[in-house]
Amino acid sequence: MRIDIISAVPESMESMLNSSIIYNAKNKGLIEIFLHNLHDYALDKFRHIDDAPFGGAAGMLLKCQPIFDCIEKLKSQRNYDEIIFVTPDAPVLTQSDCNKISLLNNIIILCGHYKGIDQRIRNTLITLELSIGDYVLTGGEIPALVIVDSVVRLIPEAIGDSESALDDSLMDGLLESPQYTRPSNYKGYAVPEILLSGNHKEIAKWRNEQSLIKTKNIRPDLLNE
Ligand code: ADE
C-alpha cells in the first residue's frame, strides 16, 4: 500500500511515521509513505498557500492552486483508489472505514490547515471526507496519522500476532472484553475464575457476554447501528 500525505507542515508527522509499527511496516515493505509539503507547490517567492475567504470571514483558507498542482502531479504518476480529505465537517471515521481503506493500493490524504480549504478542491478532487471526531483540531495532521495508524495495523504481517487485530475492540462492532495477565491474584484482586479454567468454549462465551455488557454500559449507541 502506498500513502501520500499532503500537508502544510509535513515535518510534524515525521516522528510518528518513523516509530513503532508504522516504521516496521515500512521496513518490511508492507507500506510506503510519502510526505508532500504544500509550500513546495506555491508559485510566489514567499511560498503562500493560503488566502482570505471571499465574502469576508475570520481566518485564511488553503487555496486551490498548490493543492491542485500537487494532487494532479501525483495522479499523473499512478491511479489512486481514494483521495481523502480530513476535516471536522465530515462523517466520523469508523473501524469499518479503516478496514475498507486497509484493502486499497494507493491513497492520498490531504490535511487541512488554517480555517479550511477552498470548496472547489472538495468538489472536484476529493473522493472521501472523514472526521476523527466531533471536536476541532488546528490541522489535519493528527487525523491523517490516526488514519494511517489504524489502517497500517490491519495490513497482514504489520503486527506480530495477526490474530490480535481481529479481536480488537470495535472489530465486530463491540468493545473488547476485560483482559488480565499474571499474577492471577495481585494484592487480593483476583482474575475471574473462568479465565483460569482452560475451558476455551466457556471462556469465549464469557468474553462475548462481557463485550456485550461493556458495550451496553459505555457505548450503547454501537448496539443500535
Ligand atoms: N481537522 C481539524 N479537526 C479535525 C477533525 N476532528 N477530524 C478531521 N480533521 C480535522
Side-chain angles (χ1 to χ4, degrees):
M1 180 181 203
R2 175 184 167 119
I3 305 175
D4 290 274
I5 307 178
I6 304 171
S7 160
V9 282
E11 64 282 0
S12 66
M13 289 177 278
E14 266 161 17
S15 98
M16 278 296 289
L17 296 175
N18 287 319
S19 331
S20 184
I21 286 169
I22 301 177
Y23 178 76
N24 290 339
K26 288 199 288 187
N27 280 343
K28 287 185 199 163
L30 301 173
I31 48 157
E32 291 179 291
I33 300 179
F34 296 89
L35 297 177
H36 305 275
N37 190 335
L38 266 183
H39 293 277
D40 293 342
Y41 292 83
L43 298 177
D44 66 308
K45 73 172 178 184
F46 298 108
R47 309 217 306 159
H48 282 128
I49 54 171
D50 59 343
D51 212 332
F54 279 123
M60 301 286 269
L61 296 181
L62 290 177
K63 58 186 190 174
C64 285
Q65 172 269 319
I67 294 177
F68 265 79
D69 286 358
C70 180
I71 292 182
E72 280 172 355
K73 181 173 160 211
L74 290 171
K75 280 173 75 175
S76 73
Q77 293 164 344
R78 69 197 60 76
N79 288 326
Y80 284 93
D81 304 301
E82 294 286 10
I83 302 179
I84 301 170
F85 176 49
V86 281
T87 177
D89 56 339
V92 176
L93 179 75
T94 63
Q95 185 62 48
S96 153
D97 296 319
C98 302
N99 297 350
K100 284 181 200 147
I101 296 170
S102 75
L103 301 173
L104 304 178
N105 290 323
N106 298 322
I107 62 167
I108 293 174
I109 305 177
L110 172 64
C111 305
H113 217 65
Y114 312 106
K115 282 301 277 184
I117 66 174
D118 191 299
Q119 183 62 34
R120 289 166 290 187
I121 300 160
R122 300 174 71 163
N123 293 350
T124 55
L125 295 174
I126 299 301
T127 62
L128 180 63
E129 297 190 331
L130 292 169
S131 163
I132 62 158
D134 292 336
Y135 41 82
V136 179
L137 303 170
T138 54
E141 286 71 25
I142 292 171
L145 289 173
V146 167
I147 294 179
V148 171
D149 191 280
S150 60
V151 162
V152 165
R153 60 190 297 289
L154 295 171
I155 297 174
E157 292 166 49
I159 49 180
D161 178 4
S162 59
E163 285 285 297
S164 65
L166 294 174
D167 278 351
D168 284 341
S169 273
L170 300 179
M171 206 56 181
D172 54 4
L174 296 178
L175 302 185
E176 201 172 14
S177 65
Q179 308 257 47
Y180 300 87
T181 186
R182 271 182 281 268
S184 59
N185 192 315
Y186 181 70
K187 292 186 177 175
Y189 303 115
V191 167
E193 204 60 45
I194 182 76
L195 294 176
L196 311 175
S197 69
N199 184 336
H200 295 292
K201 204 169 145 217
E202 284 303 310
I203 291 173
K205 193 170 148 235
W206 180 86
R207 286 194 169 132
N208 279 339
E209 286 164 5
Q210 292 298 315
S211 279
L212 209 58
I213 294 169
K214 195 166 157 185
T215 310
K216 246 185 218 158
N217 286 337
I218 301 173
R219 292 289 308 275
D221 54 302
L222 293 175
L223 297 172
N224 304 325
E225 280 172 4

